[in-house]
């Protein structure tokens, strides 16, 4: 097979997917159409429609864009079929019905931001950092009827430093995802559309425990100060800068206010106070965990700007009078 023989439909929505689409365009692959989420309303009155990052890039490069509300919509399926793609590439998109993923001659492969079978699900980058992993990576695999369970084509590892937050890992995997996509395409071309792949069950024995990567919501992102310092530290950097780990404070006036925490430093100081106690010592802000003090470095009170802890203390000199809910 020649590179020119591939007719590719690309599916994706966020910035993470743009890097892979960009790599396809810059390497002169024939991307015949792009599928992305419908424009979403934004603003106070929800009266402005905002296109996805993938749509922006596609339009800038004169690529046809499809934005179905429902992937099983017969009109969409027929329009998709009209592009006569023989391969589909998916990055950070929704679950596809069989009528879509099974449509192309050479199937549909996904670029997933984890080393499958570990971290199947919607938020693999966040959960890898939250769980204190020292390594994650990217995987290409053929889609099947279940979520992130298909046969693996390739994997590339990525190291996670102990000080890294989600933004660092996101950027690294975004670029690595583009690389592995191109290498996977090389394999598909070299094998006439039938690259070697292995069932994920063969890799499950490598892991002492398999973790999922469920979608994040506000409830999931609340900090549990009853956990050990290292677990809380990892939890916060695993949600920084977005969506942000948070805790609720009750002020001296009895009102509750949310506080997001973006950056912390582990300590080995244990002062024997109950978890969730706010401590200020020598101009440094701490909150107690199950075993040690956690130094708070960057944070944001609801309705205020994100700032470093020293500036926060200058404007909130009574913070020790607040109680964590």
């Amino acid at each position: 097979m020649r590179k020119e023989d591939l007719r590719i439909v690309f599916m994706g929505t966020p910035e993470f997917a743009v890097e892979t689409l960009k790599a396809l365009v810059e390497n002169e692959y024939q991307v015949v159409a792009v599928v992305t989420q419908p424009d979403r309303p934004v603003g106070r009155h929800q009266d402005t429609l905002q296109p996805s990052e993938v749509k922006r890039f596609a339009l800038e490069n004169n690529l046809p864009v499809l934005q179905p509300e429902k992937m099983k919509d017969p009109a969409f399926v027929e329009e998709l079929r009209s592009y006569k793609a023989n391969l589909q590439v998916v990055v950070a998109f929704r679950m596809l019905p069989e009528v879509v993923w099974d449509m192309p001659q050479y199937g549909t492969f996904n670029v997933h931001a984890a080393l499958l079978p570990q971290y199947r699900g919607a938020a693999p980058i966040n959960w890898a950092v939250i769980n204190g992993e020292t390594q994650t990576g990217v995987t290409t695999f053929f889609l099947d009827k279940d979520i992130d369970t298909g046969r693996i084509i390739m994997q590339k590892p990525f190291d996670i430093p102990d000080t890294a937050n989600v933004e660092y890992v996101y950027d690294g995997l975004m670029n690595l995802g583009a690389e592995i996509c191109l290498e996977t395409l090389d394999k598909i071309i070299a094998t006439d559309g039938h690259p070697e792949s292995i069932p994920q069950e063969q890799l499950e024995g490598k892991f002492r425990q398999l973790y999922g990567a469920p979608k994040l919501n506000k409830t999931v992102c609340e900090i549990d100060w009853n956990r050990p310092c290292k677990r809380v530290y990892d939890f916060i950097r695993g949600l920084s800068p977005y969506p942000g780990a948070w805790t609720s404070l009750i002020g001296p006036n009895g009102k509750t206010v949310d506080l997001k925490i973006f950056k912390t430093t582990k300590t080995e100081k244990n002062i024997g106070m109950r978890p969730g106690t706010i401590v200020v010592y020598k101009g440094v802000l701490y909150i107690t965990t199950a075993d040690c003090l956690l130094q708070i470095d960057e944070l944001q009170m609801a309705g205020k700007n994100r700032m470093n802890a020293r500036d926060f203390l200058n404007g909130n000199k009574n913070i020790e009078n607040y109680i964590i809910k």
Side-chain angles (χ1 to χ4, degrees), residues 39-277:
D39 296 356
R40 295 305 185 196
V42 295
R44 176 180 294 182
H45 303 292
Q46 299 285 286
D47 55 358
T48 302
L49 291 178
Q50 180 172 288
S52 72
E53 293 300 319
V54 162
K55 179 181 179 179
R56 292 179 193 273
F57 180 87
L59 294 180
E60 289 168 2
N61 288 272
N62 300 312
L63 300 174
V65 175
L66 286 66
Q67 296 179 273
E69 286 286 351
K70 297 180 179 180
M71 299 299 291
K72 290 183 179 180
D73 180 357
F76 162 70
V77 172
E78 285 309 306
E79 184 178 11
L80 183 63
R81 199 184 307 277
S82 72
Y83 286 97
K84 299 179 180 179
N86 50 20
L87 180 70
Q88 292 175 157
V89 177
V90 180
V91 184
F93 197 53
R94 66 177 96 172
M95 187 175 180
L96 303 181
E98 184 171 356
V99 68
V100 172
W101 60 256
D102 194 43
M103 185 183 296
Q105 177 185 0
Y106 304 126
T108 301
F109 76 81
N110 184 285
V111 179
H112 186 73
L115 297 176
L116 293 172
Q118 197 68 280
Y119 296 107
R120 294 170 175 148
I125 304 176
N126 298 92
W127 285 106
V129 181
I130 287 170
N131 288 332
E133 302 285 3
T134 58
Q135 187 179 76
T136 184
V138 289
T139 301
T140 52
F141 68 97
F142 285 116
L143 292 189
D144 62 14
K145 65 181 185 303
D146 295 316
I147 298 176
D148 300 334
T149 59
R151 294 178 66 89
I152 289 174
I153 309 166
M154 291 187 66
Q155 293 189 315
K156 279 180 171 288
F158 181 84
D159 291 336
I160 306 176
D162 184 62
T163 55
N165 65 7
V166 160
E167 186 172 41
Y168 173 90
V169 182
Y170 180 100
D171 289 345
L173 295 185
M174 181 170 63
N175 291 302
L176 198 60
E179 289 180 20
I180 199 173
C181 177
L182 295 178
E183 292 181 22
T184 299
L185 289 173
D186 287 342
K187 285 181 175 288
I188 289 172
I189 292 168
T191 58
D192 288 327
H194 299 90
E196 181 181 356
S197 61
I198 61 172
Q200 293 191 30
E201 291 76 13
Q202 289 188 16
L203 299 179
E204 290 180 357
K206 291 173 52 180
F207 302 98
R208 184 174 58 184
Q209 180 177 353
L210 288 179
Y211 295 99
K215 188 175 181 178
L216 298 170
N217 56 44
K218 184 175 181 181
T219 300
V220 171
C221 296
E222 184 174 9
I223 301 167
D224 181 357
W225 297 103
N226 292 297
R227 292 181 174 180
C229 184
K230 175 65 165 65
R231 293 295 306 275
V232 178
Y233 169 81
D234 290 337
F235 184 80
I236 290 170
R237 69 191 180 98
L239 296 169
S240 178
Y242 183 82
W246 65 278
T247 195
S248 282
L249 305 180
I250 302 176
N253 58 5
K255 292 185 178 180
T256 299
V257 61
D258 287 349
L259 183 74
K260 283 191 174 183
I261 301 177
F262 297 99
K263 186 177 180 182
T264 63
T265 300
K266 301 189 299 291
T267 81
E268 296 182 354
K269 303 171 185 175
N270 187 341
I271 58 174
M273 300 179 75
R274 70 172 182 81
T277 301

